[in-house]
Amino acid sequence: MATKSVNTGNSFFSGVYEVTRLVPKGRVTSYGAIARYLGSGRSALMVGWALNKSFSQTPFVPAHRVLNRNGLLTGKKHFGTPTAMQQLLENEGVIIENNKVVNFKEVFWDPSIELTDCNNTT
DNA sequence: ATTCTGACAGCAA
DNA sequence: TTTGCTGCCAGAA
């Protein structure tokens, strides 16, 4: 029986929240990067879906640091105000122009790279 | 129960 | 090069 397994430990969502919170200030990441880090690969859609719930999560999840692979602020529409996401990013030193990160490659933070290998928790 | 959508990404034409 | 479809997982109607 056990039709349903134990779910991937904690929901994939929790992983999204944790990784997103691990994104350093002034840095951004992409949905696909997080999805890949969680092992979902192409389930980037779920990452965005999880972030949608992040507004009710505590502590605050810097969802504004998560963009699509184009560096576009695709999710800004969910922040309440059309500029909230951009304001937050600029506030952290990220340069935004035309709803897009200018130096996206410079501020891009990939968990599957940054956290892979020497991730040591204390 | 089934069907569609959803803050995306990758591949084919 | 760009445009479009498919794939992915989970939740809501």
Side-chain angles (χ1 to χ4, degrees), chain A residues 23-95:
Chain A
V23 177
K25 176 183 176 187
R27 284 291 142 73
V28 295
T29 189
S30 63
Y31 305 97
I34 296 173
R36 187 192 315 182
Y37 177 72
L38 296 176
S40 299
R42 296 173 179 158
S43 61
L45 268 170
M46 295 307 342
V47 179
W49 201 261
L51 287 174
N52 189 338
K53 288 175 39 180
S54 73
F55 291 95
S56 298
Q57 297 301 318
T58 44
F60 172 70
V61 179
H64 61 272
R65 294 180 187 158
V66 188
L67 317 170
N68 71 353
R69 79 177 224 71
N70 295 304
L72 289 169
L73 282 61
T74 46
K76 69 171 189 169
K77 49 192 316 190
H78 297 273
F79 279 76
T81 56
T83 52
M85 190 175 188
Q86 179 172 334
Q87 291 296 308
L88 287 166
L89 287 169
E90 292 186 307
N91 185 23
E92 301 196 338
V94 181
I95 310 303

